[in-house]
Each structure stands twice: as structure tokens, then as C-alpha cells.
Amino acid sequence: MEFIVEKIGMSRTIGIPSVPVTLLKVKEAKVCEIVGDNKAIVAYGSGKKRNKAIEGQQKKYGLTPEFNRFVTLKVANSEPGNLDLSPLGEAKRVKISFNSKGRGFSGVVKRWNFAGGPDSHGSRFHRAPGSVGMCEWPGRIMPGQKMPGQYGNKKVTVQNEVVSFDPENGILVVKGSVPGPNGALGKVRIVK
């Protein structure tokens, strides 16, 4: 079963030893149409985006304007209506996918943890990548060479243990950290 979640932030449990946890808010969602094999078209709210395509979908499924995003998820529901959150109550382990924090165009020292050169006088090698190519053969830079470039803002999936789930408020508490900034939207999939 899959769910759309919003990252609230990190905290810790009260006890000895205390455990670092991440709080995730399960977004209110409606199952619009079952498309076979436990998969369904699910609508949820995010921002104020509206266009004719979205309005057409809302009219087709009889949704209110706040449900303006549509996604195909694996669900426990057998018919359209509110998304069934009961499987989260029994979940022990989940896979969580978020976009990692974007750090923009970064050099090799920040992106790949290169050591760089000495900072002292006379050294003309500080944070540069250094040698990257070969000589006459193969005469090119091999694919996968660690170089400066876009760092972060990529889909990252991690597995976490479920500490608790509050069905009344839709708060899922998982052990450890989760990629992405606070307030980001991601997907949770039950593993077992």
C-alpha cells in the first residue's frame, strides 16, 4: 500500500535511550477510480494549481477544488471514497521516497568530498578537481568520472522502521532520518 506524505520534521522519543524519529503527515486523499490489481487513481491537495485539465478531472470524479493533484497508487480500497489508512496501523517497515535537498551546482570538494590541495602560500591547487583524463588511449574522460555539477534534488528512497501511527491526526512516526526538506511531499510504501 502507498500513501502521499508531507515531512513535518525530526524529533526524538522520550525514554532511555531516546530514538531519533521523523514525523510524517499523511495527506488527506480520495480514491477516484480503481484501475485494477489494487491500483487506483488518487486525488490529493497540494498548492493552488488549477487548469482546465484538473477542473475536468474534478468534475468527472465530483471532487472539491482543494483536491488538485492526481496520482496512481497501490491502495487497500476496493471502491472509490476516502483513502483507507488502516494498513499503516499494522505496518512494521516502510520505504520512503522524497526528493533530496537541492544544493545547486557544486564543486568536487562539496559534492564528492574530495580533499583538495594545501591552502598555504605558493600552492595553486586548492579546490579544483585535478587530473580527469588519460593520455593517448583511450583519449577521453570515462563515464562516471566524479566532477562538479548538480548536487541533490534527486529522488532518494530509504527504508525505515515504523515507531507509531496516529490515525486520528494522520501522523506517521518513523525511526531515523528521511531525505528532503521539511514541508516536502513524498511517497510511503509499506514493505511489511
Side-chain angles (χ1 to χ4, degrees):
M1 304 309 112
E2 294 171 325
F3 305 91
I4 302 292
V5 293
E6 182 182 341
K7 182 175 174 181
I8 296 171
M10 288 196 75
S11 185
R12 62 181 183 168
T13 60
I14 297 168
I16 299 172
S18 69
V19 177
V21 294
T22 303
L23 305 172
L24 303 169
K25 172 99 170 103
V26 180
K27 295 286 278 183
E28 188 188 342
K30 293 212 183 286
V31 176
C32 301
E33 184 182 339
I34 308 291
V35 289
D37 207 38
N38 287 359
K39 291 214 169 182
I41 296 168
V42 176
Y44 65 97
S46 172
K48 294 180 180 177
K49 185 179 178 189
R50 288 199 69 192
N51 57 33
K52 283 190 176 178
I54 290 170
E55 285 169 10
Q57 291 281 73
Q58 289 169 338
K59 191 175 176 185
K60 178 181 176 182
Y61 298 122
L63 299 169
T64 52
E66 67 261 21
F67 293 100
N68 60 351
R69 295 274 203 268
F70 297 88
V71 68
T72 304
L73 298 176
K74 211 170 194 178
V75 296
N77 295 46
S78 55
E79 54 190 49
N82 288 338
L83 186 64
D84 183 16
L85 302 180
S86 59
L88 279 173
E90 296 111 48
K92 301 267 188 290
R93 216 166 168 71
V94 289
K95 266 190 179 177
I96 303 170
S97 298
F98 274 90
N99 263 21
S100 60
K101 285 183 182 177
R103 292 167 177 87
F105 191 99
S106 301
V108 289
V109 173
K110 183 172 182 173
R111 190 179 185 204
W112 301 109
N113 302 315
F114 280 21
D119 284 339
S120 55
H121 299 288
S123 167
R124 289 162 57 200
F125 171 61
H126 302 297
R127 292 176 71 91
S131 176
V132 291
M134 290 91 169
C135 222
E136 193 171 336
W137 189 87
R140 63 194 171 93
I141 294 170
M142 300 304 283
Q145 176 71 42
K146 291 177 178 176
M147 291 180 117
Q150 167 67 36
Y151 178 33
N153 197 25
K154 283 192 176 150
K155 186 180 176 186
V156 179
T157 302
V158 293
Q159 268 198 46
N160 298 71
E161 279 178 43
V162 175
V163 175
S164 69
F165 176 62
D166 176 6
E168 205 173 291
N169 299 311
I171 306 287
L172 179 67
V173 182
V174 294
K175 186 177 176 182
S177 62
V178 163
N182 294 347
L185 289 179
K187 194 188 283 188
V188 163
R189 193 170 93 235
I190 294 173
V191 177
K192 65 176 186 178

